[in-house]
Structures are given as structure tokens and as C-alpha cells.
Amino acid sequence: MIPVYLYVGPEFGLRNEAIEKHKIAAEKKFGTLDYHLLYAHEVSLGEVLSILQGGNLFADARFVVLRNAELIKNKDDIELLRNWIAGIKSQNYDDVFLFLVSDETSVDKKLENLIPKENKQVFWEMFENKKEEWLRNFFKQNGFKIQEDAITVILEMVENNTEALKNECSRFFVCFDQNHTITEEDVEQILAHNREESPFTLFNSVCDYTKPSSVRLDNALSILQKIRNSKESNGIQFIAGLTWCFRKLKLWHELNSKGMLGDLDLKKNGFAANKVQNQYKNAARIWNYRETNKVISILADTDIQLRQLGSNCEDNLLELMIYSIIIKKGEKIENYSMEAL
């Protein structure tokens, strides 16, 4: 079997668990792994393949996870990967593993065609009732009970994938003794009052169309400041998170234009949860399809500027970017008008 896998889709938790199982199996079979987690917007495909071909001389096998695989579209990169796979296949190497990962539901067709069918999987977002069942089992496995109202509040507050749910709900196991029944009040106390901000909470905040743009801007800048003050602040990763949100908004517009907002179509495209559907309905009222594309361009331009100018300019560039997104709806700052406020 060719040790190249394509795992895509918005259900991060189940996807990451599947990769971890492969990693554990590889460690049992080979011993020490030369493990790398890389991002397609930070390294070239040539660098990735060099790691797989050489890597750590003291490791028994090489294991690379390459995220943002949807960015691999260049003809030369596709051909480079095709040749590498052919070489691996002809020489029967089984001590190298390459996982191409994307939060999107698909990648470039030419890239997808390189991967064997049995090595491809789409991790769709779970239906709401499946998430409820997952939460009950998660608390039960850790020695806790949880009320139905508490489950509802958690699903309203936390990003709708099992990785985010696991990370957030693990807080309860530190704050309460086993056999405790988690209530709605517990959720409010633990999650609402101690909630960490992220690009996703910022996006959720700026989607509130009932508030004027000036208020949404103030809220967004406040959230941005909290993120910037955190220990793990990274401008590039922040932009990547927001870009993911606006790409989903672009997809929402495309589905809407084709009349594909039924339950099945929404589930297939990562909009299964009611909370997520409402969020993107609201966002679509603020940014139309054209404006959404402009916002994505602003995010890409800011990403390039950050890489060119370095961390000293991060705060200013990110604040200008947020202003452009909320007030200008993707227009560049030089087109500023006081009437926008």
C-alpha cells in the first residue's frame, strides 16, 4: 500500500484521532519516528519530500502531516509528488508516511487523483444529535454525568467539532470531583467566564448584524488584543483561522446561489449544526459574495505583508486588516471614507 493519505473535512477531532492511530501503529512497528507537523503555506512541497527522503538518521521511520493541502495546486508540485509516489511504490518503501490534511471538504482534483481510494477520507461534521451523544459518552467515560440543558449550552458556545469540544470540556474534570453532574450553571461558570478568544470567536462576534459596524469593530479589536496578549499569539495562524471562516462563508454563498441549503447539502459541506447555520446566515447578511472574496484577498495580502515585514508590524497590520473587513467590507484602506462609520 502506498503510504500517502488524504484526510479532509471540518471534523478536526475525529480526523486527528485517525491520524494518531496511524502514528501509534507506525511507532509499534518501527520504533522511533521522525515526526513533523507542517503547513503548506509555510514550506514548499520539495522541502516536505526532502524530509521524507532523508530525515533524522537516528529515526526508524518518517511521519509527516502536511496541513492546508488545499493550497497544493501548482502543476510542478503535483508532478513532483506524482514522481515521489511512483518511486516509493517501485521500491516498496513502507517506513515513510505522508498525511495530506485540509479543513476543506476537497482539494485540487489532480492532487486527489494521486491518492489511492482506500487512503482518502472526508471527515464530515456530525449531526447535532450525534454531538449530543458524543458529549454524554465523553463525560461518562471520565466519570461525570451531564444535564441535557448543559449539553445544549455547550454546543451553543463551543466550535462544532469534537477536538474543540474535548479541549473545552476537559476543564470540568479539573474543577469538579468525579460523579458530579454538570449543570447549565457549571457550563456558564467554567466556559463563559474563562473562555479563551480565537479567530473563531472573533468571527462569531463580527457576524452580529444587529449591531452597528462601529460596535462590531470595537468588539473585534478587543478580542484581537486578548489574543495578541496570549502566550501562543501568532499573526499568521490568526489570519489562517479567519481565512477558514471566510472561505466557509464563500461556500455558503455558492450553495445558496445553487439552492443547496437543504439539510443534506449543509451537512456535506460542514454546516450541520444549527448554531453554525445561523452564524453563516448572519454573516451572509453582512458580506455578500463579492465582498467575501475581497475579504479573503485582504487576508491573503496581510499574510504576505506579515511575512515580509516581520513581527514588529503585526499589531498595526492586523488592526488595519480588521478595520478593512468590518468597516470597508474588504476594500483597501486607501478607499477610506468617513461615511463608512
Side-chain angles (χ1 to χ4, degrees), residues 113-239:
N113 289 339
L114 294 179
I115 314 301
K117 183 179 180 180
E118 62 271 19
N119 287 9
K120 293 186 286 191
Q121 187 170 348
V122 180
F123 292 83
W124 301 109
E125 184 176 311
M126 288 191 292
F127 280 124
E128 200 77 3
N129 63 330
K130 290 293 184 182
K131 288 199 186 84
E132 292 173 2
E133 181 183 347
W134 186 92
L135 273 173
R136 289 190 200 95
N137 290 334
F138 181 67
F139 279 97
K140 184 177 179 181
Q141 289 166 6
N142 287 276
F144 290 80
K145 298 178 182 178
I146 183 167
Q147 294 179 351
E148 293 301 310
D149 289 345
I151 289 177
T152 301
V153 175
I154 289 174
L155 291 176
E156 288 176 350
M157 294 180 62
V158 181
E159 286 303 307
N160 283 282
N161 65 79
T162 54
E163 183 173 82
L165 288 170
K166 184 184 295 183
N167 291 338
E168 291 292 325
C169 293
S170 293
R171 299 187 190 187
F172 294 100
F173 310 148
V174 178
C175 299
F176 300 102
D177 295 328
Q178 283 193 337
N179 297 319
H180 177 79
T181 299
I182 304 299
T183 65
E184 183 177 351
E185 290 73 23
D186 294 334
V187 175
E188 291 289 342
Q189 177 186 352
I190 302 302
L191 297 189
H193 295 165
N194 300 286
R195 194 175 184 185
E196 293 181 4
E197 301 289 4
S198 71
F200 306 104
T201 61
L202 187 146
F203 180 74
N204 186 54
S205 174
V206 301
C207 287
D208 187 353
Y209 70 91
T210 63
K211 295 179 181 176
S213 56
S214 58
V215 173
R216 291 189 292 114
L217 176 63
D218 286 342
N219 292 340
L221 292 176
S222 176
I223 293 172
L224 175 63
Q225 189 59 50
K226 291 177 183 177
I227 295 172
R228 298 295 293 151
N229 288 338
S230 68
K231 293 180 181 179
E232 299 182 1
S233 173
N234 181 299
I236 300 297
Q237 291 180 6
F238 173 78
I239 291 174

Side-chain angles (χ1 to χ4, degrees), residues 300-312:
D301 289 344
T302 307
D303 181 281
I304 293 170
Q305 288 179 294
L306 281 182
R307 295 176 190 278
Q308 291 175 340
L309 300 176
S311 59
N312 291 337

Side-chain angles (χ1 to χ4, degrees), residues 1 3 5 22-34 58-63 92-97:
M1 181 181 289
Y5 300 79
H22 281 281
K23 182 171 175 283
I24 291 171
E27 287 173 333
K28 287 182 179 179
K29 180 176 180 179
F30 296 101
T32 305
L33 291 186
D34 183 18
F58 300 100
D60 301 305
R62 292 166 294 285
F63 195 107
N92 292 319
Y93 285 136
D94 65 349
D95 60 350
V96 293
F97 301 84

Side-chain angles (χ1 to χ4, degrees), residues 60-101:
D60 301 305
R62 292 166 294 285
F63 195 107
V64 172
V65 178
L66 181 62
R67 291 187 175 174
N68 304 127
E70 73 278 359
L71 300 178
I72 304 175
K73 300 177 181 179
N74 183 277
K75 180 180 178 181
D76 292 337
D77 284 341
I78 300 294
E79 191 61 27
L80 184 64
L81 184 58
R82 185 195 311 277
N83 292 335
W84 181 79
I85 290 174
I88 290 292
K89 188 176 181 180
S90 66
Q91 298 181 50
N92 292 319
Y93 285 136
D94 65 349
D95 60 350
V96 293
F97 301 84
L98 174 60
F99 282 81
L100 302 172
V101 176

